[in-house]
Amino acid sequence: MRRAIVGRDEVFDRAWHALRAPGPVVVSGAAGIGKTTLLRALVTEARSAGWTVLDCAPAEPEAGLPFAALADLLRPLAAHLAALPPPQRLAAELVLLAGDADEAVEERVVAAATRSLLEAAVASAAGTPVLVAVDDAPWLDRPSERALRFALRRVAGIAPLVACRTGATEPDVVPLGLDQTADASRLTRLPLAPLGIGALHHILRERTAAAVSRPLLTRIAREAGGNPLLAIEVARAVQRLPDPPAPGQELPVASSMHQLLAEVLAGLAPPCRDAVRLAALLATPLLRDLSAAGVAADAFDPAEEAGLLVVSPVAVRFSHPVYPATVRATIPPGVRRGLHRRLAAAVADPDERARHIALGATRPDAAVAATLAEAARRQHHRGAPDAAAQLYELAARLTPADDPSGGQRRLAAARCRFDSGDHPAARAAADAVAAEFTGDVRAEALLLRAVVAWSSDESGPVAAETAARALVAVTPGSPLAGRIHAHLALFRDLPEPACAHARAAATLLDGHDDDRPLLSATLLQLFFNEVRAGRPARTELLDRALAMEDEHPSWLAGTVPAIWWKAMDDPARALDRLHRLLDRAADRGDEPSQHELLLHLAETELFAGRWAAAERHIAAARELGERAGTEMISETYLGALLDAHRGRLAEAGAVAEAGLRRADELDDDWCRRTHQQLAGYVALCAGRMDEAAAAYAALAVTVASMGLTEPLAQRFEPDWIEACVGAGQLDSATVVLDRLIQRHRRLPRPWTRLGIARSRTLLASAGGTDPSGALDEMAAARAAVPAEVLPLDRARCLLVAGVVQRRARRKRPAREALEAAAAEFDALGAAAFAARARAELARIGGRAPAPLQLTETERRVARLAALGRTSRAIADELFVSPKTVEANLSRVYRKLGIARRAELGAALADRDGVSE
C-alpha cells in the first residue's frame, strides 16, 4: 500500500488515474512546492504495480553535458541494444558510454535509437504501462530533450510524467512537446497549489523534529506562502534563534530561498562553504573529484547537519534540487571562476573538465581553446551537435586573434548548428564568417550558407547564387572548388549549367579519397543532366558512380538511379533501391529523406499499377510532412493523380487548380508543370478534350522554358495526342506525335513504344485511313510490355483498339477489346477508364455474339451471295463498298469453314437461325 503524501493525496490520485490510461501528466509549480515528492511517490507506486519505469532527474550543471539525462533514462533498456539496427546501436552505446565510434553519429540517429528502445520497452511490457518520468524538465540537456521529444511524439503506449518549475514570468509551455503527441488529448496538467496549515504542520514536525505552536505555525505558513520547502527553511531559521520569537516580533524570513540559504552558507565554516560550492558546481558531485580538488572528507559535516545535503560513500546528494541552484546563485562571479579552474584541474571526465575550463577562462588562450575544440569534436562525434556548437563558439572566442584556427572553429560551430537542425542560427553564423573572412574560409562559409538555403527551401535561387559567390572566393583548381561545383550541379536546375558544373567537379575531385562520396554524386548528376539535356544516356557514368557508393550514397544524388530506373519503366530495380535507401534513412532517423523516398516510391507504384501500395506511401509521406510542417505539395499532387486514376475527378481537379495558383504565387516551374499535367489528365478523363489539349500545350511551353529536352519524370505526349484527336486538332496531334517519336529515338522506353502505337492508331482512325496496320503495331507493342510494368497503359491500348474497331464497324473485335479493357481497368481500380470502356460497349449494341456466330452484316452479305448476287450488287443494296463486302465474305468463309461461294447455300442451311 502506498505511503500517504501529506496534502497531495487528491492530486496523486488524479495523476495516477491519468497515467494508467496511459496519458501524459505534467506536474508544475514553484520551486519547493512539492513536485519532486509527488513525482517520486508516483514512480514508487508504478514500480510496485509492476510497471516498466524509466526515469531521470536532471540538475542545472548537467544541462551542459549532452545525453546525461537520456543515459540515466535509457540505462534499464541496455539489454535491447543488441536488437537495434547497427547505426542506432552504435548511437545508443555512445549515449550510455558503452562503446566508441570510428565515425561521427548524427543527432537524429540518437533520436531514432531512443524511439526504438522505447518501442522495445512497450513491446516487452506486454500490456503493462511504461512510465517515462522526468523530474525538473527545464534542466534537461538539449540533446536529451530533443531525443525524448522526438521519441515520445512517435511511440504509443507510453505514460510520460514530467515535473517542471514555473514562475510568474515564464511562458506556459508544455515540456517535451507532450501537447503534440498522439495522446495529447489525454494530457493532464496538475499545477500544485500551496499547502494548508495542517499539511505544513505534519511536514515541519517530520523534517525539523521541532514542536511548533499553532500561532507560530500560522505565521510561518503565511510568510512561506504555503511552500513546504520555504516553510522548512523558515522553521530552521527560527530554531537557530536564541529565543522563540515573541508574538509581535518579526520572523527571520527572507524575500527568497536564495537569501535564506545565503544566511545558512554564511554561517558555515569556510572549508565547508567552499566544499558545498564545489559540489554545487559539479554535474555529478563525486567524492573522488571533490577530494582531487582538495576537499577533506569531513568538510561536509556541518552542511549535512543543517539538512542541505547527504554524503554517501561515492557522492554528495543535495536534499532538494533547488538547493544546489541556490548555492550557485550566491557565489560571487570572481570566486565562481576560481572554483571552476580548481575543478578543471581535478575532475576525471574530459567533457566535465572542458566545461569547467570554459567557465573559468577570462582571456584568449591557445591551449584552452584547443582543449575546448577537442571537446566539441567529441560531442559532435557522439551525436550532440548543439552542445558541440556551443563549445566551438567558446573555443573561437578564446582563440588568440593571430591564430588562423579561429575562423575554422567558427565554421565548425556553424556546421554543428546546421546538423542540429537550427537553420536560422546556422544561416546567421555562416553569414557572419563570410563577412569577416576572405579566401577559402569565406568560400566554405558561403557553401554552407548555400546548403542551408537549399535545405530550408528558401525562396528564389538563393542556394545557386550563394554557391556561385563561393566559387569566386575559393582557390581555383582546389578540391574545395570541386566540392562547390558538385553542389552547383544540384542547385542549378537547368541541364546545361548543371552539366558544366558536374564536369568541373568530376575533374577536381577525382583522386581525392575523402571526396569519394561527393565524386559519386557528381557522376550521377552529370549522367542525369546529360539525359535531361537530350544527350545519349552514358550508363557507364551510372555504373561507375554506383560502384563508388559503398552503400553510402550522398544526399546530393542518392535518388538519381531510382529516378532513372523509374523513367525507364524498370520498377523492380527502382523499388529495390528506394526501399534500401528508406530502410537506411529509417535506421538513422532521417525523416526528411524518408519523406522524399516515400514520394518516389509512391510514384513508382503508381506507374506499376499497384495503387494500394502507392496510397500507403502517400499517406506515410503526408504524416511525415505534417509533422515537419512542409507545404506537402508533392504528396497532395500524387494523391490527386491517384484520385484521377480512380475516377475521383472533381477532387483531382480541385488540387490541380490550387496547385497552379500556388505555382503562380511562388513562380515555381516544378510546381507549375506537375499541376499542368494533372489538369490535362483530369480534363482528358472527363472528356473535355479542348481543355486537356490546352493544358498539355501549356505544359510543353513550361518544360521548354526550363531547358528540358528530356523531362524524365513526365510522360504526357500520348495523352496530349489523344486530347488533340478528340478535339479535332489532327495537325497538332501529328506534330506532337513527331515529338514523341523523337523522345523514343533518344531513349526507347516501354511507355514511349506503347504511346506511339496508341497515338498512330488514333490518328489513323481519325484521318479516315485503314487502321489495321496501326492496330497490329499496337497489339505487338502491348504484347512486348510485361503486364506488371505498365498495366494502365496496356489497358488503354485495348480501349483505343475497341474504339477504333467500333468506328470501323468491326463489332466483334471491338467488343472483345472493350470487354478486356474494362476487365483490366476494373482490376486496377481505374473507374473513369472502366466507365469509358463500358460506354463504348453500349454504343456497339446488340447481344454479344458467340465465338463463331455471324454478325448481322455478315448474315445479310452471306444470304445475298448465296442467292448468286455479285459483290457490286450486294454493295449497292447494302450501301457499302465492294471492298467491305469482300471483307465480310472472308470472315463468313472462316466462320463457316468453307472456301468459296458455291458452298454458302448448304452451309447456311446447316446453321440454325442464320436464314431467319
Side-chain angles (χ1 to χ4, degrees), residues 468-756:
R469 289 163 54 205
L471 206 54
V472 174
V474 74
T475 302
S478 64
L480 176 57
R483 291 193 285 275
I484 296 170
H485 277 297
H487 284 79
L488 278 165
L490 172 66
F491 299 159
R492 295 291 189 193
D493 194 46
L494 293 175
E496 291 297 350
C499 285
H501 286 297
R503 291 190 198 98
T507 299
L508 294 173
L509 296 177
D510 200 6
H512 295 273
D513 288 343
D514 290 344
D515 291 315
R516 186 180 175 92
L518 199 56
L519 176 57
S520 171
T522 296
L523 295 175
L524 288 174
Q525 286 290 350
L526 179 57
F527 165 75
F528 182 59
N529 281 292
E530 284 185 348
V531 171
R532 294 172 76 218
R535 294 192 181 89
R538 291 200 288 159
T539 53
E540 66 273 14
L541 290 175
L542 175 64
D543 294 339
R544 182 184 169 199
L546 291 174
M548 295 176 66
E549 273 187 350
D550 193 24
E551 296 299 319
H552 296 290
S554 166
W555 67 273
L556 289 171
T559 56
V560 164
I563 293 171
W564 166 252
W565 291 321
K566 177 174 57 176
M568 296 301 293
D569 295 322
D570 189 351
R573 293 184 75 183
L575 291 170
D576 177 70
R577 182 173 178 87
L578 290 170
H579 279 296
R580 283 191 289 111
L581 291 176
L582 182 64
D583 290 344
R584 183 173 182 271
D587 288 348
R588 302 181 73 83
D590 184 354
E591 291 194 343
S593 292
Q594 291 178 60
H595 180 258
E596 179 188 4
L597 292 163
L598 284 166
L599 294 172
H600 283 299
L601 281 166
E603 188 173 44
T604 306
E605 296 287 24
L606 272 174
F607 287 154
R610 292 186 284 269
W611 294 351
E615 187 172 32
R616 289 193 298 271
H617 294 316
I618 292 169
R622 191 183 299 276
E623 181 181 346
L624 289 175
E626 289 173 347
R627 196 179 291 160
T630 64
E631 295 188 23
M632 296 194 293
I633 293 175
S634 296
E635 46 267 63
T636 303
Y637 158 73
L638 288 171
L641 182 58
L642 180 57
D643 279 340
H645 284 336
R646 287 174 166 172
R648 296 194 282 266
L649 301 182
E651 295 88 339
V655 170
E657 291 175 7
L660 289 171
R661 287 194 300 270
R662 185 64 174 153
D664 289 338
E665 291 169 5
L666 299 175
D667 193 22
D668 184 333
D669 280 338
W670 179 87
C671 181
R672 181 175 294 109
R673 65 187 173 109
T674 55
H675 288 90
Q676 283 171 334
Q677 182 166 0
L678 177 62
Y681 186 66
V682 169
L684 178 73
C685 291
R688 301 191 299 270
M689 298 304 184
D690 287 298
E691 181 183 332
Y696 287 125
L699 170 60
V701 172
T702 302
V703 169
S705 72
M706 298 175 69
L708 297 177
T709 302
E710 177 49 61
L712 279 172
Q714 293 190 284
R715 40 182 77 185
F716 60 94
E717 286 87 354
D719 290 344
W720 187 4
I721 294 165
E722 183 174 340
C724 288
V725 170
Q729 303 169 14
L730 300 189
D731 290 343
S732 296
T734 302
V735 172
V736 180
L737 177 57
D738 289 340
R739 172 193 176 106
L740 177 57
I741 291 170
Q742 289 300 316
R743 287 190 72 176
H744 180 72
R745 287 173 179 166
R746 279 195 304 270
L747 207 59
R749 287 153 283 181
W751 78 264
T752 56
R753 181 176 181 182
L754 289 176
I756 290 169

Side-chain angles (χ1 to χ4, degrees), residues 70 74 77 80-81 84-93 95 105-120 147 150-151 155 586-589:
L70 190 64
L74 296 182
L77 303 178
H80 295 290
L81 261 62
L84 295 178
Q88 294 183 25
R89 183 171 64 248
L90 176 61
E93 288 172 347
V95 167
V105 170
E106 298 177 61
E107 186 178 33
R108 57 193 174 195
V109 184
V110 177
T114 304
R115 173 184 182 174
S116 296
L117 287 171
L118 291 185
E119 288 173 339
F150 176 91
V155 181
D587 288 348
R588 302 181 73 83

